Amino acid sequence: MSDLRVRFAPSPTGYLHIGGARTALFNYLLAQQQSGTFVLRIEDTDVARSTQESVDAILDAMDWLGLTCDEGPFYQSDRSELYKEKIEQLLAEGKAYRCYCTQEELDAKREAALASGGKPKYDGTCRTRTDQPEQPYVVRFRLPNDEGVTHFNDRIKGGISIRHQELDDLILQRSDGTPTYNLVVVIDDAEMGINLVVRGDDHINNTPRQILLYEALGYQVPEFAHVPMILGADKKRLSKRHGATSVMAYQAMGYLPEALVNYLVRLGWSYGDEEIFSMDELIEKFSLNNVGKSAGVFNPEKLLWLNAHYIKTGDASRLAALLTEFLEAKGIVPSEGPDLVAVVESLRERASTLVEMADGAAFYFFDELAYDEKAHNKFLTEGHRALLSGICEQLRECSGFDEADLEAAFAKVMERFSLKFGKVAQPLRVALTGGTASPSIYDVLKVLGKERSLYRIERALTVLV
Ligand code: GLU
C-alpha cells in the first residue's frame, strides 16, 4: 500500500451525474494505480436536500461502473460531534467568533458596500464582540491576516493565489447549529488522512478558504487537483438540455459500464491518440499530468461509438446476461427462445446499445411472427410458394445445420430454381424474421435451429397473399 489517500465526496441531493462519475473515476484510478486508498464519503449535512434515495442511487451507479471504494461509505451526518468539537476549538482559540448580525443588517451592509463601490463582503462587526446575547447567531471564521495571500499549486491548474482581501469571514456554523460545507470538508479530509483532493473545478474558489481552515485547525494541507467541468456541444455547462446526465440513465439506454468509463476518462484526459482503454489499461496509464486544464465537451456520438465497440468485442455470455433484462422489458421470456449467446453473436455487429440489440433480437423469440406489411406483400406471395416449399424440403434434408450444411442446401435451391442467392434469401428472411433486415440468413437459421426454422417457413406458407 502506498500513502496515497483520495476520496470521492458526493452530496446525496440527486443521482450520480456524468461529471461526478468522472471525478470518482479519476480518484479510483489513482488509488488503484498507486495501491493507495479510495475513500467514499457521503456529504449529507444539508438535511433538507439529502435523501436516502439519492445515496442509494449514487452507490448503485458507482457499483455499476465498478468504482469500488476501499473505505466507507462514511456519512457526515454521523460525525456532528466531531464538527461541534472543532467549532468549539476554533472559538476557544479566537479563530472563530459568534456573529449576531441579523439578515436585515447584513442586507443593509451589503447594499451600503455596493453603493460605495466596495466588495459586498461581511464587514467584521462581530469580530470584536464579547457579549453573548440570547439571540440566534452564526459562527464565522476569523480570516487570519486580512492583508495576506494564500497560494497553492493545483496538480491540474497550476499555481493559484488569492489575496485575503477577496475573502470573507466564512460562516462555519449556521444559526440552526449545523456546520457548513467548507468546514466539514476540511475536518473530514484531514481526519480521514486524505492527502490528495481530486474534485470538480466548481470548488476551486473554496480551496484557499479551506487551506486557511486546515491551518487554523492545525492540520496538514493536502494537495489539490481540480478537474475541469464538462460542457454540452453548445459550450454551456452540461445539463439535462443536452440529454441524459445521470449515469444510470445510460445503463437504462443499453450502455455498457466499460464504454461509459472509457468515455468519461477520455473526456479530459488523453494518452497520445489512443481511444480504447480497458479498466486495467487505465489503471496503468492514467495520470493527472495528462488531464487538460480546459473543459471537455460531451459528445454523445463518441460514447455511442465506444459502446458499439464494446458490444462488438465484449464477452458474449456476459452480454447475453445483460441483454436478458432488456428482453424481459419487452415481454420476452429469454429462456423460451434460442440460445441467448448465439443470439448475441448474431447481432453484435449491428447493435450500438443493448436496447437496439433487444429490438433486433425480438424476432428470435416469437414463432408466431407479425410480418412487416410491405415485406409480406412483396415476399410472401403465391408466386413464392414453390420456392419456399423447396427451401423447406431442402432444409429438412439437412443432417446438420452448420454453415457448410446450409450453404450446400442453398446451392441446391439456387440451382433448382435458377435463382441468385438474394432472391432465395429474401423471402426466406421474411418468413423467418418477419422483415427484410436481419443478421445474415445463415446466422438466423443457425440461431433458430432446424425445428424453429421449418416451423416458421411452414407457417409462412399458410399466409401467402
Ligand atoms: N460534496 C461536494 C459536492 O458534491 C464535493 C466536495 C468536495 O469534493 O470537496 O459538490
Side-chain angles (χ1 to χ4, degrees):
M1 279 243 162
S2 84
D3 298 336
L4 180 74
R5 291 180 63 86
V6 290
R7 49 56 159 195
F8 178 52
S11 302
T13 55
Y15 49 69
L16 181 64
H17 55 82
I18 293 290
R22 188 184 54 165
T23 302
L25 173 62
F26 284 6
N27 279 290
Y28 171 83
L29 292 175
L30 289 167
Q32 288 284 318
Q33 178 176 75
Q34 299 179 36
S35 305
T37 306
F38 177 42
V39 177
L40 177 60
R41 183 174 71 236
I42 304 294
E43 303 213 316
D44 57 352
T45 48
D46 186 345
V47 185
R49 295 177 61 223
S50 301
T51 64
Q52 185 58 43
E53 208 184 337
S54 299
V55 172
D56 294 342
I58 291 168
L59 297 180
D60 280 353
M62 287 183 67
D63 195 42
W64 182 64
L65 291 172
L67 307 180
T68 324
C69 64
D70 302 302
E71 289 180 16
F74 299 108
Y75 293 82
Q76 287 188 325
S77 52
D78 292 338
R79 300 165 62 81
S80 22
E81 281 313 308
L82 172 66
Y83 308 142
K84 281 207 183 88
E85 225 174 81
K86 295 293 170 184
I87 291 170
E88 287 308 320
Q89 177 189 326
L90 290 171
L91 283 168
E93 291 173 355
K95 294 175 178 169
Y97 60 93
R98 295 181 178 82
C99 171
Y100 295 91
C101 294
T102 62
Q103 195 52 52
E104 293 74 51
E105 285 166 340
L106 293 173
D107 290 346
K109 287 179 202 291
R110 189 186 151 81
E111 262 160 44
L114 283 174
S116 64
K119 278 206 167 274
K121 63 178 213 176
Y122 183 62
D123 65 356
T125 306
C126 294
R127 276 183 172 183
T128 50
R129 192 164 179 163
T130 48
D131 60 339
Q132 289 190 25
E134 278 292 314
Q135 67 190 63
Y137 64 87
V138 298
V139 175
R140 286 186 187 268
F141 182 49
R142 168 73 169 86
L143 192 70
N145 188 2
D146 290 317
E147 304 306 317
V149 175
T150 289
H151 180 84
F152 69 100
N153 242 327
D154 190 273
R155 293 273 301 269
I156 294 172
K157 305 269 178 173
I160 293 179
S161 296
I162 187 144
R163 291 182 308 142
H164 294 185
Q165 277 166 357
E166 311 283 326
L167 302 176
D168 219 343
D169 278 358
L170 203 64
I171 296 179
L172 304 179
Q173 178 181 292
R174 301 182 191 91
S175 56
D176 65 2
T178 57
T180 56
Y181 158 71
N182 277 300
L183 176 73
V184 296
V185 77
V186 166
I187 296 174
D188 282 345
D189 281 341
E191 297 283 337
M192 294 176 185
I194 304 303
N195 44 24
L196 171 61
V197 171
V198 181
R199 63 182 168 197
D201 69 0
D202 46 337
H203 286 290
I204 203 158
N205 289 332
N206 288 322
T207 305
R209 296 174 171 87
Q210 292 175 10
I211 290 175
L212 291 170
L213 279 168
Y214 277 99
E215 290 167 349
L217 287 160
Y219 290 134
Q220 177 148 10
V221 182
E223 280 198 282
F224 292 93
H226 287 91
V227 180
M229 63 174 144
I230 302 176
L231 305 177
D234 56 2
K235 302 285 159 72
K236 301 236 167 70
R237 196 184 168 139
L238 191 68
S239 73
K240 283 195 191 129
R241 285 181 300 119
H242 302 105
T245 55
S246 140
V247 166
M248 291 315 262
Y250 285 90
Q251 188 228 13
M253 291 188 291
Y255 285 77
L256 300 175
E258 57 270 39
L260 198 56
V261 161
N262 193 151
Y263 181 69
L264 287 176
V265 79
R266 282 284 294 105
L267 200 57
W269 171 80
S270 57
Y271 190 85
D273 46 18
E274 280 181 44
E275 290 291 355
I276 311 268
F277 300 91
S278 67
M279 192 67 110
D280 285 343
E281 284 167 330
L282 289 177
I283 290 169
E284 186 194 321
K285 294 175 173 163
F286 180 75
S287 157
L288 287 176
N289 298 337
N290 297 332
V291 173
K293 281 191 178 54
S294 48
V297 175
F298 188 73
N299 178 345
E301 285 89 47
K302 192 164 160 201
L303 173 55
L304 190 64
W305 175 78
L306 279 168
N307 204 54
H309 165 79
Y310 285 105
I311 284 186
K312 274 196 192 86
T313 56
D315 175 69
S317 320
R318 173 173 165 257
L319 292 175
L322 294 175
L323 184 65
T324 303
E325 170 187 337
F326 291 90
L327 291 172
E328 285 168 353
K330 299 172 79 69
I332 291 168
V333 182
S335 59
E336 289 176 0
D339 174 42
L340 211 47
V341 175
V343 168
V344 166
E345 294 282 16
S346 77
L347 289 161
R348 65 200 292 158
E349 292 290 332
R350 312 166 56 88
S352 298
T353 67
L354 292 173
V355 168
E356 267 179 43
M357 190 181 264
D359 288 344
F363 77 83
Y364 282 124
F365 298 88
F366 297 109
D367 286 334
E368 318 299 318
L369 285 171
Y371 305 103
D372 169 75
E373 197 181 317
K374 241 170 103 186
H376 190 167
N377 291 333
K378 185 162 175 202
F379 292 107
L380 300 183
T381 69
E382 281 301 336
H384 291 93
R385 182 176 293 282
L387 171 63
L388 284 166
S389 306
I391 296 173
C392 209
E393 279 161 30
Q394 206 60 58
L395 290 176
R396 192 170 283 118
E397 276 177 27
C398 285
S399 50
F401 224 60
D402 62 19
E403 191 106 1
D405 301 315
L406 298 173
E407 270 174 22
F410 256 67
K412 285 195 187 130
V413 174
M414 281 154 62
E415 195 191 320
R416 175 170 158 202
F417 292 93
S418 299
L419 287 173
K420 290 218 163 72
F421 180 83
K423 295 277 180 201
V424 176
Q426 209 57 344
L428 177 59
R429 188 186 307 278
V430 179
L432 295 176
T433 73
T436 50
S438 79
S440 89
I441 198 71
Y442 293 152
D443 280 349
V444 171
L445 285 162
K446 280 188 291 180
V447 174
L448 284 173
K450 188 170 176 177
E451 198 183 324
R452 278 198 174 88
S453 299
L454 292 177
Y455 176 87
R456 291 185 185 202
I457 303 168
E458 276 161 7
R459 178 169 177 264
L461 284 167
T462 67
V463 299
L464 299 181
V465 290

